[in-house]
Amino acid sequence: MTANLLDFDLEGLAAFCEELGEKRFRATQLYRWIHQRGVRDFDAMSDLAKSLRQKLPDVAYIASLPVLSRQNASDGTIKWLFDVGSGDAVEAVYIPESDRGTLCISSQAGCAVGCRFCSTGHQGFSRNLTTAEIIGQLWFVEHTLRAERNTTDRVVTNVVMMGMGEPLQNYNALVPALRTMLHDNAYGLSRRRVTVSTSGVVPMVDRLGLDCPVALAVSLHAPNDALRSDLVPLNRKYPLAELLAACARYLPHAPRDFLTFEYCMLKGVNDQPSHARELITLVTSFNGGQGLHCKFNLIPFNPFPDSGLTCSDKATVQAFADLLSQAGIVTTVRKTRGDDIDAACGQLAGEVLDRTNAATRMATLRQGTGTVHTIQVTAASAHNVL
Ligand code: SAH
Ligand code: SF4
């Protein structure tokens, strides 16, 4: 059995080195070569003992997911579709802005939560990604873009777990990947620049607070249990009161003194002034009137076929934002990228996940790499989240 070294955080790599009869500090050297420099050829790792360099090719390798397609939008946004086998694909999206470069990463092929407004949710769950497949998206994008730009400077400054899947339903694979994002001998991102977005897996919110407290974004989408259970079925298991209590427990661990609520604006469903007022009461009356320190990120709904839902119009979104702001809640409306970008949650990957004629479509995708003028970006475009 050979091991993919992307599967290990530093602790795991140290244990692996020990199994090989090597000193633990060799792991730090390896970790740096892999993550800081993007090197996968053991022979090129010049400060490793020669004996270890000779041993490694028999027991280990470094590989991210195969790329099915890449799309470049004219504003610099890039989306990759990765093959995860069995006709499934996941996507990662790089979103450059003047002061940062955000990478949106997937955690699962499909998703079991099944939110009504999410195309990934409509396709169901295929499988969890491994740690190597999660961190491999960052490893691949960071080092591919550095090489293309002929720079050793950091390209990805922020990571958001907002691609396909519910990260907290793949907790054991997620945490080592997060640790590698944060580690100074790997990507060295600060905790506030790594965001986990969740539909509200309450026990795992608590565990994340203890194990690896990065920035947290909670997908709220509704101000009461009846509506939220309809939109986010997981709410039946972990209703709002429990979710908000978990958020309050997370706050002392969080890298900032607030957390972000995401709210997808659905015409006539959750976008009325009455919903805004209910939302204000929900967060301000929390904990006997103490309130919950949070900010809201309103996401215009990205339509997809058969959802039966439409996006709220601009004026409605603005009126909703104004009501929250007037109540003292910091609220942003997520921008979509330039006009050539139709922001949508996982639509391209979604097509692949629809197994009808999957093989034909995968073949088409394999040929389809190149510059395009329209790009479907995951909902996770993640502007204003941080
Ligand atoms: N499963 C996690 C993270 C991935 S989804 C979660 O639900 O938080 C990332 C964000 O995109 C979530 O806030 C989700 O609610 C939102 N989203 C999903 N489908 C969308 C759509 N069609 N339009 C707008 N936002 C969407
Ligand atoms: Fe899963 Fe998030 Fe989509 Fe809901 S919104 S189905 S939790 S990926």
Side-chain angles (χ1 to χ4, degrees), residues 108 110-122 163-167 198-199 219 221 231-232 345:
Q108 299 180 311
C111 182
V113 178
C115 299
R116 257 181 70 192
F117 50 83
C118 174
S119 65
T120 305
H122 274 235
M164 297 176 73
E166 169 47 59
T198 181
S199 56
S219 296
H221 308 310
L231 295 173
V232 184
C345 179

Coordinates of all heavy atoms in Angstrom, one line a residue, residues 108 110-122 163-167 198-199 219 221 231-232 345, ligand 2:
Q108 N -17.5 17.3 -0.5 CA -18.1 16.1 -0.8 C -18.5 16.1 -2.3 O -18.7 17.1 -2.8 CB -19.4 15.9 0.0 CG -19.2 15.9 1.5 CD -20.5 15.7 2.3 OE1 -21.5 16.5 2.0 NE2 -20.6 14.8 3.2
G110 N -21.5 15.6 -4.2 CA -22.9 15.7 -3.9 C -23.1 16.1 -2.4 O -22.1 16.6 -1.8
C111 N -24.3 16.0 -1.9 CA -24.6 16.4 -0.6 C -25.8 15.7 -0.1 O -26.8 15.6 -0.8 CB -24.7 17.9 -0.4 SG -25.0 18.5 1.3
A112 N -25.8 15.3 1.2 CA -27.0 14.5 1.7 C -28.0 15.4 2.3 O -29.1 15.0 2.7 CB -26.5 13.5 2.7
V113 N -27.7 16.7 2.5 CA -28.6 17.6 3.2 C -29.9 17.9 2.4 O -31.0 17.9 2.9 CB -27.9 18.9 3.7 CG1 -28.9 19.8 4.4 CG2 -26.7 18.5 4.6
G114 N -29.7 18.1 1.1 CA -30.8 18.2 0.2 C -31.6 19.5 0.4 O -32.8 19.5 0.3
C115 N -30.9 20.6 0.5 CA -31.6 21.9 0.5 C -32.3 22.2 -0.8 O -31.8 21.9 -1.9 CB -30.6 23.0 0.8 SG -29.7 22.8 2.3
R116 N -33.5 22.8 -0.6 CA -34.4 22.9 -1.8 C -33.8 23.8 -2.9 O -34.1 23.7 -4.1 CB -35.7 23.5 -1.3 CG -36.8 22.5 -1.3 CD -38.1 23.2 -0.8 NE -38.7 24.1 -1.9 CZ -39.7 24.9 -1.7 NH1 -40.2 25.0 -0.5 NH2 -40.1 25.7 -2.6
F117 N -33.0 24.8 -2.4 CA -32.5 25.9 -3.4 C -31.2 25.6 -3.9 O -30.5 26.4 -4.5 CB -32.5 27.2 -2.6 CG -31.7 27.1 -1.3 CD1 -30.4 27.1 -1.3 CD2 -32.4 26.8 -0.1 CE1 -29.7 26.9 -0.1 CE2 -31.7 26.6 1.1 CZ -30.4 26.7 1.1
C118 N -30.6 24.4 -3.6 CA -29.2 24.0 -4.0 C -29.2 22.9 -5.0 O -29.7 21.8 -4.7 CB -28.5 23.7 -2.7 SG -26.8 23.1 -3.1
S119 N -28.5 23.1 -6.1 CA -28.5 22.1 -7.2 C -27.7 20.9 -6.7 O -28.0 19.8 -7.0 CB -27.9 22.7 -8.5 OG -26.6 23.1 -8.3
T120 N -26.6 21.1 -5.9 CA -25.9 20.0 -5.3 C -26.8 19.1 -4.5 O -26.8 17.9 -4.6 CB -24.7 20.5 -4.4 OG1 -23.9 21.4 -5.2 CG2 -23.9 19.3 -4.0
G121 N -27.6 19.8 -3.7 CA -28.5 19.1 -2.8 C -29.5 18.3 -3.6 O -29.9 17.2 -3.2
H122 N -30.0 18.8 -4.8 CA -30.9 18.1 -5.6 C -30.4 16.8 -6.2 O -31.1 15.9 -6.5 CB -31.4 19.0 -6.7 CG -32.6 19.9 -6.3 ND1 -33.7 19.9 -7.0 CD2 -32.7 20.7 -5.3 CE1 -34.6 20.8 -6.4 NE2 -33.9 21.3 -5.3
G163 N -17.9 25.1 -1.6 CA -18.2 24.4 -2.9 C -19.2 23.4 -2.6 O -20.2 23.5 -1.9
M164 N -19.1 22.2 -3.3 CA -20.1 21.2 -3.1 C -19.9 20.5 -1.8 O -18.8 20.2 -1.3 CB -19.9 20.1 -4.2 CG -20.2 20.7 -5.6 SD -19.9 19.5 -6.9 CE -21.3 18.5 -6.7
G165 N -21.0 20.1 -1.2 CA -21.0 19.3 0.0 C -21.1 20.1 1.3 O -21.0 21.3 1.4
E166 N -21.4 19.3 2.4 CA -21.6 19.8 3.7 C -20.3 19.5 4.5 O -20.1 18.3 4.9 CB -22.8 19.2 4.4 CG -23.0 19.5 5.9 CD -22.7 21.0 6.3 OE1 -23.4 21.9 5.8 OE2 -21.8 21.2 7.1
P167 N -19.4 20.4 4.7 CA -18.1 20.1 5.3 C -18.2 19.4 6.6 O -17.4 18.5 6.9 CB -17.4 21.4 5.4 CG -18.3 22.5 5.0 CD -19.5 21.8 4.3
T198 N -21.6 26.0 7.0 CA -22.4 24.8 7.3 C -23.8 25.1 7.3 O -24.3 26.2 7.7 CB -22.0 24.3 8.7 OG1 -22.8 23.1 9.0 CG2 -22.2 25.3 9.8
S199 N -24.6 24.1 7.0 CA -26.1 24.2 7.1 C -26.5 23.9 8.5 O -27.7 24.0 8.8 CB -26.7 23.2 6.1 OG -26.2 21.9 6.4
S219 N -25.4 28.8 7.3 CA -26.5 29.0 6.3 C -27.8 29.0 6.9 O -28.4 27.9 7.2 CB -26.4 27.9 5.2 OG -25.1 28.0 4.5
H221 N -31.0 31.1 6.1 CA -32.0 31.1 5.1 C -33.5 31.2 5.5 O -34.4 31.3 4.6 CB -31.9 29.8 4.2 CG -30.6 29.5 3.7 ND1 -29.8 30.5 3.0 CD2 -29.8 28.4 3.7 CE1 -28.7 29.9 2.7 NE2 -28.6 28.7 3.1
L231 N -36.8 24.4 3.8 CA -35.7 24.8 2.9 C -34.4 24.0 3.1 O -33.7 23.6 2.2 CB -35.4 26.3 3.0 CG -36.4 27.3 2.6 CD1 -36.0 28.7 2.9 CD2 -36.7 27.1 1.1
V232 N -34.1 23.8 4.4 CA -32.9 23.0 4.8 C -33.4 21.9 5.7 O -33.6 22.0 6.9 CB -32.0 24.0 5.7 CG1 -30.7 23.3 6.0 CG2 -31.7 25.3 4.9
C345 N -24.8 27.7 -8.2 CA -24.2 26.7 -7.3 C -24.1 25.3 -8.0 O -25.0 24.6 -8.2 CB -25.1 26.5 -6.1 SG -24.5 25.3 -4.9
Ligands
SF4_2 FE1 -25.7 20.7 0.9 FE2 -25.0 23.2 1.4 FE3 -26.3 22.5 -0.9 FE4 -27.6 22.4 1.5 S1 -26.7 24.3 0.5 S2 -27.6 20.9 -0.1 S3 -26.0 21.7 2.8 S4 -24.2 21.9 -0.3

